[in-house]
Each structure stands twice: as C-alpha cells, then as structure tokens.
C-alpha cells in the first residue's frame, strides 16, 4: 500500500510547481521583510498584516481597473495605503494606550470593511491580457526570456528594497527605531521620541506589506477580500526559517543586517517550497493552515531545542 502511494506521486508534477513556489516566495518575501521590522527590530506584535496585504491588493487592482493607472504606479499607492494602516495601528497604541496586539487586531478588523468598500465586492479580477502587469503567474509559463525577465526583475526588486532598508536603518532615524525596539526606557533616556519612532516603524512595515499585496494581486490576477488571511503566519515562518538556516552565516558578515534581510526573503521561498511539497504528497488542501502552523512551530522550536540540548551536552562533557 505504501509502495502504491509513492508510485502515484509524480516527480514531474512537483518540479512543475516549483517555479510558481519560487515566484510566490519572492513576492511574499517583501511582506516578510515588513514582518521582520516589527517582529525583530521593533519587538511589536503587529497583527495588522492580514488586513494590510488585502488592502494593498485592493488598492492596486482598483486603481488599474477603475482609474486606468499604470500597474507599476498603482504599487506606489498600495505602499502608501499600507503605511496608512500601519499609522492607525501605531496611533491606537501610542496615543490611546491600546496594547499593541489589540491595536493590530482592531485595525485588521476595520480593514476588512474598508477593503470591501474599495473593491465594491469580495473579489476583483485583473487580466494580464488587458493590462501590462508588473508581475503575473502567466509570465512563468511563457518562454525562457519571459521567465528570465520575471525572476530577474523580482529578485532585483527585492535586492533594491534590502539595499534601501539597509541604508535607512543605518541612518540616525533608523538607529532610533532599532533602539526603541531594543529598550524603550533607555531610548527615552537618550532623548528619542519612542512613540513617534514606533508609529514610523509600523508605517514602513505595513507599507512593505501593502506593496507585497499589490504585487501578489497582480501575480494571481485578482484581489480578494481573504487574500491576506494567515499572512502573519507566513511572515513569521519566513523570518524564523531564514534565521534558523542562515543565522550563523549572517552573524559572521560585515553587513550582517543586510544578509539577514536576504535570508528572510529566502526563508519565504523555502516556506512555499515546503508547502508545495506537502501538497504534492496529496495531503488534504483544507489542512494547509494546519501544516503552515506546524512548519512555523518546528522552526520556532529548533533554536530552543538546540540551546537546551547543547547546554546538556556541554555539562555532560565537563
């Protein structure tokens, strides 16, 4: 029975799905960068992400469909819409004293209704045959040159974003954000306005998430009210996978911060490769969220288990 099960699996089918996994992983890697900023740099549990991704997609698609805007320009507005969502979460937390996790939930819930108003209904398609989309799943099935342009463009875009973020967080303002996340009390003692920098970091983070949502909507050919559901899990998975697999490599480099951000994007690609592998094994598609949670839990547990059993071995040797 086991032999017949493995015989029914097609390696060709798995290989055919990998280009799509790579494309999705790179696009969602931009979202993972946003999660990295709040989760690691700011130490803020931001759950706005699930709503912001859908907002970015809704804004990008409707500006192209309704206003006739160029798809690449619509992505700028998707980024701006994400920043507005992050600002709302930040102000709820800093100005009204609402705990960070609840502020994110409140904004996320509000965005559901706002996204419906933006789109007019739960789903809005956008056809690559009618518009010159920046990215599209159809490009992957094209000729070799089209595939090269797609992957080359997305990878270059990701690297440019990493370079911009690396330079920005090296500035005085960027360092102030990192100091705020590291120790708020110490940052305040140094004269840093921690409330302002918390809001600013949330705006940058959600702006990246909105940009990713705009790209993903173009990639899949539609914006959907539920397209951001579970995004925070994917973002956290990407961050954790990148840190677990490439953490030691990044620490030994001069540009450790830049390498860490690249590792987060690679972590997103690996996540989608793993998910596609699970689906290839003919696991029930309705259990996909369960498998996602298991993947995150496994990678979260690895550093703890390595530290725990590493200490035991060290004690035993002594």
């Amino acid at each position: 029975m086991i032999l017949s099960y493995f015989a029914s699996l097609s390696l060709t089918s798995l290989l055919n799905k990998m280009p799509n996994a790579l494309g999705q992983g790179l696009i969602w890697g931009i979202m993972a960068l946003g999660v990295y900023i709040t989760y690691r740099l700011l130490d803020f549990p931001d759950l706005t992400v699930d709503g912001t991704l859908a907002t970015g997609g809704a804004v990008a698609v409707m500006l192209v469909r309704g206003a006739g805007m160029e798809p690449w320009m619509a992505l700028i507005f998707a980024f701006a819409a994400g920043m507005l969502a992050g600002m709302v979460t930040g102000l709820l937390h800093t100005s009204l004293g609402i705990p960070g996790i609840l502020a994110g939930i409140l904004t996320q819930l509000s965005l559901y209704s706002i996204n419906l108003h933006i789109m007019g209904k739960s789903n809005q398609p956008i056809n690559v045959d009618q518009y010159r989309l920046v990215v599209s799943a159809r490009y992957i099935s094209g000729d070799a040159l089209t595939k090269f342009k797609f992957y080359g463009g997305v990878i270059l875009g990701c690297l440019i974003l990493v370079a911009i973020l690396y330079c920005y967080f090296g500035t005085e303002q960027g360092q102030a954000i990192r100091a705020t996340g590291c120790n708020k009390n110490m940052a305040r003692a140094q004269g840093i306005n921690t409330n302002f920098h918390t809001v600013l970091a949330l705006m940058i983070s959600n702006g990246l998430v909105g940009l990713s949502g705009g790209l993903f909507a173009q990639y899949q050919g539609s914006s959907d009210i539920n397209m951001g559901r579970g995004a925070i899990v994917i973002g956290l998975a990407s961050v954790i996978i990148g840190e677990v697999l490439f953490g030691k490599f990044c620490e030994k480099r001069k540009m450790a911060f830049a390498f860490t951000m690249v590792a987060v994007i690679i972590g997103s690609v690996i996540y989608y490769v793993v998910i596609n592998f699970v689906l290839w094994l003919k696991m029930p598609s309705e259990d996909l969220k369960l498998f996602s949670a298991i993947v995150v839990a496994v990678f979260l547990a690895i550093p703890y288990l390595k530290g725990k059993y590493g200490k035991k071995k060290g004690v035993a040797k002594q």
Side-chain angles (χ1 to χ4, degrees):
M1 186 174 179
I2 295 177
L3 290 175
S4 61
Y5 164 72
F6 281 105
S8 67
L9 299 176
S10 171
L11 184 60
T12 303
S13 175
L14 176 63
L15 294 176
N16 288 337
K17 290 179 180 179
M18 285 302 112
N20 183 58
L22 177 59
Q24 278 190 272
L26 289 169
I27 292 171
W28 282 74
I30 298 172
M31 182 273 298
L33 286 177
V35 173
Y36 174 76
I37 290 172
T38 51
Y39 180 63
R40 283 300 188 213
L41 299 188
L42 193 62
D43 193 24
F44 188 98
D46 184 24
L47 297 184
T48 316
V49 174
D50 287 20
T52 307
L53 190 93
T55 301
V59 169
V61 168
M62 294 312 296
L63 284 175
V64 174
R65 282 175 54 92
M69 186 177 289
E70 286 293 327
W72 67 267
M73 188 177 293
L75 294 176
I76 299 174
F77 287 89
F79 180 83
M83 292 188 75
L84 284 175
M87 184 179 69
V88 171
T89 298
L91 292 176
L92 286 175
H93 175 61
T94 58
S95 299
L96 300 181
I98 299 174
I101 192 167
L102 292 179
I105 291 172
L106 288 174
T107 307
Q108 180 194 134
L109 288 173
S110 302
L111 287 175
Y112 187 89
S113 297
I114 292 171
N115 294 339
L116 281 174
H117 283 294
I118 292 172
M119 293 189 293
K121 55 182 181 179
S122 61
N123 184 284
Q124 285 284 3
I126 184 168
N127 196 327
V128 69
D129 294 327
Q130 294 179 300
Y131 308 100
R132 293 181 298 177
L133 302 182
V134 177
V135 293
S136 172
R138 289 266 295 275
Y139 297 159
I140 295 176
S141 58
D143 55 31
L145 181 60
T146 303
K147 291 179 182 178
F148 176 78
K149 287 181 178 178
F150 171 80
Y151 288 118
V154 176
I155 292 172
L156 179 62
C158 288
L159 292 177
I160 290 173
L161 275 177
V162 168
I164 292 172
L165 290 172
Y166 178 78
C167 293
Y168 173 74
F169 282 104
T171 64
E172 184 177 345
Q173 193 175 73
Q175 292 290 345
I177 291 175
R178 299 175 74 171
T180 298
C182 184
N183 190 322
K184 278 192 176 183
N185 293 329
M186 183 62 73
R188 289 194 193 100
Q190 297 296 322
I192 295 172
N193 186 336
T194 55
N195 285 344
F196 169 77
H197 287 94
T198 296
V199 174
L200 181 61
L202 285 166
M203 289 177 68
I204 295 171
S205 169
N206 282 277
L208 290 171
V209 176
L211 173 61
S212 177
L215 283 167
F216 184 61
Q218 292 189 26
Y219 177 82
Q220 69 176 3
S222 68
S223 61
D224 188 271
I225 194 65
N226 293 314
M227 64 183 284
R229 184 169 293 179
I232 185 63
V233 175
I234 298 173
L236 288 174
S238 303
V239 172
I240 300 302
I241 292 171
E243 289 180 342
V244 169
L245 296 182
F246 306 104
K248 290 186 177 180
F249 172 82
C250 295
E251 288 175 1
K252 298 177 181 179
R253 303 290 165 174
K254 290 182 179 180
M255 300 171 64
F257 182 54
F259 279 104
T260 301
M261 288 189 288
V262 172
V264 168
I265 296 173
I266 296 174
S268 176
V269 174
I270 292 173
Y271 171 85
Y272 271 97
V273 168
V274 171
I275 292 300
N276 273 270
F277 180 76
V278 169
L279 292 175
W280 175 71
L281 292 175
K282 298 183 179 179
M283 299 296 180
S285 58
E286 59 267 23
D287 292 337
L288 185 58
K289 298 297 181 185
L290 173 62
F291 295 131
S292 300
I294 291 172
V295 169
V296 176
V298 168
F299 279 95
L300 278 170
I302 288 174
Y304 170 77
L305 294 175
K306 284 174 69 176
K308 181 179 178 181
Y309 291 105
K311 287 180 181 178
K312 286 185 177 180
K313 287 181 180 179
V315 172
K317 287 180 180 179
Q318 292 176 359

